[in-house]
């Protein structure tokens, strides 16, 4: 995977921007990032307006966008996974945790294949309720779509997860695919040890059958 490019937005009077710029310059020299572009919004305000940026420092690293100050170690960690599904999943997790669901929605609407990055959140038993609910909203927006149906095998795997909450959620999303190919996965959960999983599996099977 090639090193991601970085776009850093700064301003003349930002106290944290110099440290961010220095850290990114070091990562550029080390080959951790492939290219670094820095824009002073006081000189080029139209750049911030086009990106909807109101505060600095602001960084786009690959497809990931980070607001506020971050250490060199944090930036290196993000750079290492910036264009991977795992990295996008971690970024979506941060957005949902911070209540920025619309941002995640906009990203997926612009690139529907990014929906796959929501699945690691579904399978994350340590994710908070708000984060899990946010992941559900993102998946539900694609109910009945080819984009969601493409994730059917992975949802099927999640329906066998050790945690009942994950199995229940996966059964719900399998039903949202509207695809008969989900039935074997759901049939297998009708005898699940957890009552909620059994109920949701039955409801999803009924939804698919019409």
């Amino acid at each position: 995977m090639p090193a991601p490019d970085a776009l850093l937005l700064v301003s003349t009077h930002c106290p944290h921007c110099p440290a961010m710029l220095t850290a990114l310059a070091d990562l550029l020299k080390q080959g951790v990032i492939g290219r670094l572009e820095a824009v002073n919004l006081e000189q080029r305000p139209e750049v911030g307006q086009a990106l909807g940026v109101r505060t600095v420092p602001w960084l786009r690293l690959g497809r990931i966008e980070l607001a506020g100050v971050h250490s060199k170690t944090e930036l290196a960690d993000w750079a290492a996974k910036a264009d991977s599904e795992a990295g996008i999943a971690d970024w979506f997790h941060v957005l949902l945790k911070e209540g920025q669901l619309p941002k995640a929605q906009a990203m997926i609407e612009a690139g529907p294949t990014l929906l796959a990055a929501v699945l690691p959140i579904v399978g994350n038993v340590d994710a908070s309720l708000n984060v899990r609910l946010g992941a559900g909203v993102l998946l539900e927006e694609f109910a009945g779509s080819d984009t969601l149906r493409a994730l059917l095998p992975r949802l099927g795997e999640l329906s066998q997860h050790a945690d009942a909450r994950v199995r229940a959620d996966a059964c719900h999303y399998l039903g949202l695919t509207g695809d008969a190919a989900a039935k074997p996965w759901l049939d297998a959960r009708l005898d699940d040890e957890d009552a909620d999983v059994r109920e949701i599996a039955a409801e999803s099977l009924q939804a698919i059958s019409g």
Side-chain angles (χ1 to χ4, degrees):
M1 184 182 300
D5 294 338
L7 169 63
L8 177 66
L9 304 188
V10 302
S11 72
T12 303
H13 301 96
C14 165
H16 303 295
C17 291
M20 284 276 287
L21 183 57
T22 298
L24 289 167
D26 287 344
L27 294 177
L28 178 67
K29 295 175 185 176
Q30 296 167 15
V32 177
I33 61 176
R35 181 175 63 182
L36 172 60
E37 179 183 3
V39 178
N40 188 319
L41 293 187
E42 292 181 26
Q43 301 299 319
R44 296 288 185 272
E46 70 277 4
V47 176
Q49 293 168 2
L51 293 170
V53 175
R54 296 173 179 266
T55 60
V56 291
W58 180 94
L59 175 68
R60 174 179 286 165
L61 196 55
R63 289 182 292 184
I64 290 171
E65 298 174 3
L66 302 171
V69 64
H70 295 271
S71 70
K72 182 179 175 181
T73 299
E74 290 174 322
L75 294 173
D77 288 342
W78 280 114
K81 59 187 179 182
D83 289 319
S84 68
E85 181 180 296
I88 298 296
D90 286 347
W91 181 47
F92 282 167
H93 192 124
V94 170
L95 291 178
L96 295 175
K97 187 175 181 179
E98 295 178 348
Q100 297 188 55
L101 175 62
K103 179 65 177 179
Q105 287 174 312
M107 288 295 297
I108 296 174
E109 288 170 1
T113 57
L114 293 179
L115 187 66
V118 179
L119 296 187
I121 299 175
V122 176
N124 183 357
V125 297
D126 294 322
S128 67
L129 178 59
N130 284 344
V131 170
R132 296 183 67 82
L133 289 174
V137 171
L138 295 174
L139 288 164
E140 287 167 358
E141 286 193 348
F142 286 84
S145 69
D146 289 340
T147 301
L148 185 58
R149 282 192 287 270
L151 303 181
L152 198 153
R154 294 178 62 181
L155 288 170
E157 293 175 7
L158 286 171
S159 73
Q160 302 176 84
H161 197 279
D163 191 282
R165 294 171 300 169
V166 177
R167 296 199 303 275
D169 287 345
C171 286
H172 173 59
Y173 304 136
L174 282 168
L176 292 181
T177 67
D179 194 324
K183 289 184 177 181
W185 299 105
L186 293 168
D187 282 334
R189 301 273 62 84
L190 293 177
D191 295 322
D192 196 277
E193 62 185 22
D194 185 87
D196 288 338
V197 175
R198 295 195 301 269
E199 180 180 353
I200 293 173
E203 291 174 351
S204 292
L205 280 168
Q206 185 176 11
I208 290 174
S209 299

